Amino acid sequence: MTPSSPSPSPWWSPDRRPDRRPRLEARGRIRRAIRDWFEAQGFTEVEAAALQVSPGNEAHLHAFETRALTLEGGAAPLYLHTSPEFACKKLLASGETRIFDFARVFRNRERGPLHHPEFTMLEWYRAGEDWEVTMSDCAALLGLAAEAAGTTALTWRGRTCDPFAAPRRLTLAEAFRDLAGIDLLSTLGPDGTGEVAALAEAARAAGVRVAADDTWSDVFSRVLVERIEPVLGDGRPTLLCEYPAPEAALARRCAHDPRVSERFELYACGVELANAFGELTDPVEQRRRLEAEMDEKARLYGERYPLDEDFLAALALMPEASGAALGFDRLVMLATGARTIEDVLWTPMAEAP
């Protein structure tokens, strides 16, 4: 009988400290470098409350729920936020102009080499500045992280990315055409509505599996994950931009083509590091989009989260702005050559029984 392999030591085991400690020290240096960079540009560090009336309204994100008990014995549901976005936009509405937050955020049903249920999201917002400036921010942060970690390359699973190289800018339409042979924009109606039959036919022709009950977004996501994301950020960073309107619920539409939106994602070594928008500030349109997201969540998972009415009210006062959310732990992971996200967390969350 072959003996079973020994279980790995827990993260707190003394024998693991020599391997973990250098990466955790680098984490601190990277955080200090980023904080100094933002403050030098006139940003104010803020701290969004983790408990919110709405955790966020993306169909595929799952929150941790709790209850707030009153002195009178009543109770009301609250959620640990999946992002500080709603709170930060309220601060913009109040008059703040440049803010950043190293926020602890929480996402249920997520754990793996690139995911952890509790993690650090670096979010920043620029009032009165467009998404092009935020793209430049993303490029600068990669170089800062590498310098602080004492490296010249970001690495993950044998792939490398030069953090000092100018990012490649690629639209979703270009990516689908060049990497999957699909004319993405031809599957969108004039108002940006996705035409599932058209995209499904193109995906099948490209050899991508399509199910009978797939929505346009299902097919879009499968092509993105299978054919496009794995090659992004190879050698140098990639800014994947102009997401189709159905995939950008919190972004404003592009002036040159209403079928696509001012949303981009930053990739390095095939890993998504940041998600950013030219922010939508129309409360009526935002309500419509969030309700549609919750309708989809109810269809798929049988649950929905409340809308944050304060957030929607604040949008009426919020100035035009751009904002980004960067997975800080992932950035540290790539800058230190770690194998998994838990290698750069001081105290990973306990495994569920």
Side-chain angles (χ1 to χ4, degrees):
M1 180 176 180
T2 304
S4 59
S5 58
S7 299
S9 301
W11 62 263
W12 47 263
S13 179
D15 67 299
R16 296 204 34 202
R17 185 175 182 272
D19 183 57
R20 285 174 51 80
R21 180 73 187 195
R23 293 190 174 95
L24 296 171
E25 289 176 341
R27 178 189 178 96
R29 294 196 303 272
I30 294 169
R31 183 170 182 148
R32 287 192 295 273
I34 290 174
R35 176 178 283 117
D36 290 346
W37 185 84
F38 275 116
E39 290 180 347
Q41 295 202 40
F43 280 74
T44 298
E45 184 170 8
V46 301
E47 296 176 281
L51 283 171
Q52 299 286 339
V53 298
S54 174
N57 297 111
E58 295 181 50
H60 297 289
L61 289 187
H62 302 276
F64 290 88
E65 183 177 356
T66 187
R67 293 187 304 157
L69 304 180
T70 67
L71 295 176
E72 295 76 22
L78 286 178
Y79 302 87
L80 290 170
H81 63 182
T82 59
S83 161
E85 181 169 4
F86 290 176
C88 285
K89 288 181 177 178
K90 293 174 190 177
L91 288 172
L92 294 180
S94 77
E96 297 294 337
T97 57
R98 290 186 176 185
I99 57 176
F100 73 100
D101 187 0
F102 281 99
R104 301 294 288 187
V105 300
F106 306 84
R107 297 185 179 183
N108 219 336
R109 298 192 187 182
E110 293 191 11
R111 191 157 198 163
L114 292 171
H115 297 87
H116 197 259
E118 178 182 355
F119 62 100
T120 299
M121 183 83 84
L122 169 63
E123 289 208 12
W124 70 98
Y125 293 85
R126 291 176 173 269
E129 298 180 85
D130 66 21
W131 66 325
E132 300 277 352
V133 181
T134 309
M135 290 182 187
S136 298
D137 292 341
C138 286
L141 293 180
L142 295 183
L144 280 173
E147 289 177 350
T151 187
T152 58
L154 305 179
T155 60
W156 195 64
R157 291 191 171 180
R159 301 179 61 182
T160 62
C161 176
D162 182 350
F164 304 103
R168 176 191 183 194
R169 187 164 168 174
L170 184 68
T171 68
L172 265 296
E174 292 168 338
F176 269 64
R177 180 195 66 202
D178 297 344
L179 300 173
I182 294 174
D183 182 354
L184 181 64
L185 296 184
S186 71
T187 72
L188 295 169
D191 64 349
T193 301
E195 299 174 357
V196 61
L199 184 56
E201 180 182 0
R204 288 191 192 95
V208 176
R209 178 183 60 84
V210 176
D213 60 347
D214 276 344
T215 64
W216 186 94
S217 290
D218 292 333
V219 181
F220 171 87
S221 296
R222 197 169 297 122
V223 175
L224 182 65
V225 169
E226 293 182 9
R227 297 298 180 86
I228 294 169
E229 283 188 331
V231 302
L232 299 181
D234 203 6
R236 61 171 171 147
T238 299
L239 295 170
L240 186 65
C241 59
E242 295 188 12
Y243 269 71
E247 299 300 311
L250 291 153
R252 62 182 171 230
R253 301 193 186 219
C254 290
H256 69 86
D257 188 342
R259 295 175 297 175
V260 296
S261 298
E262 292 186 4
R263 176 189 174 191
F264 73 85
E265 290 190 322
L266 170 69
Y267 285 84
C269 304
V271 175
E272 178 210 336
L273 289 176
N275 184 29
F277 307 134
E279 303 293 350
L280 177 65
T281 56
D282 179 344
V284 175
E285 174 64 11
Q286 186 65 88
R287 180 185 294 276
R288 184 192 68 78
R289 295 187 191 181
L290 295 183
E291 287 176 344
E293 285 286 308
M294 290 300 90
D295 288 344
E296 179 67 1
K297 187 175 191 66
R299 183 184 73 85
L300 292 171
Y301 306 110
E303 64 176 344
R304 60 195 309 133
Y305 300 138
L307 303 188
D308 185 337
E309 294 295 341
D310 272 355
F311 163 63
L312 292 169
L315 280 186
L317 300 177
M318 180 179 149
E320 290 192 1
S322 61
L326 182 145
F328 179 69
D329 313 290
R330 288 186 180 183
L331 178 60
V332 175
M333 185 182 72
L334 268 59
T336 61
R339 297 167 301 168
T340 74
I341 197 168
E342 294 193 12
D343 290 337
V344 297
L345 301 180
W346 276 96
T347 61
M349 196 179 91
E351 293 277 4

